[in-house]
Amino acid sequence: ITTSILLLLLSINLFAQKTISIRGFVKDIKGNSLPYCSVGVQETSFGTSAKQDGSFQFAVPASIGNEVVVVASHVGKRTVQKKSQPPN
């Protein structure tokens, strides 16, 4: 069984201190885009599916906190978690 690793590239922005926009790309270890991956904030219901090019974007309430863990999963691939903090 071959297990591939998902790479998760994130950008987090604050908008008017009410929501946090989380966006990025999901790629495999070779740098190929992984379309339709599930991407979300750990232990919440906030998330989305990556587009065909592996890009994703979704918003969460700023009340979720200053630090989030984003999780990406894809059938047949290893799930990846990445901790990120909003910019100052």
Side-chain angles (χ1 to χ4, degrees):
I1 297 175
T2 302
T3 302
S4 296
I5 297 174
L6 300 175
L7 301 177
L8 188 59
L9 310 172
L10 294 175
S11 173
I12 297 181
N13 298 307
L14 290 173
F15 291 105
Q17 302 299 326
K18 294 181 182 178
T19 62
I20 299 171
S21 177
I22 300 174
R23 64 179 177 222
F25 290 90
V26 184
K27 299 183 178 190
D28 66 15
I29 197 162
K30 295 179 182 178
N32 300 315
S33 297
L34 288 174
Y36 315 117
C37 288
S38 295
V39 182
V41 176
Q42 185 177 32
E43 298 180 11
T44 73
S45 61
F46 300 108
T48 191
S49 293
K51 295 180 182 178
Q52 188 172 358
D53 65 356
S55 66
F56 64 89
Q57 180 173 347
F58 61 99
V60 298
S63 61
I64 203 166
N66 292 333
E67 190 174 275
V68 296
V69 176
V70 177
V71 179
S73 61
H74 191 280
V75 175
K77 309 291 183 188
R78 191 169 77 186
T79 299
V80 172
Q81 299 178 359
K82 184 168 183 178
K83 187 184 292 187
S84 190
Q85 295 181 348
N88 294 330

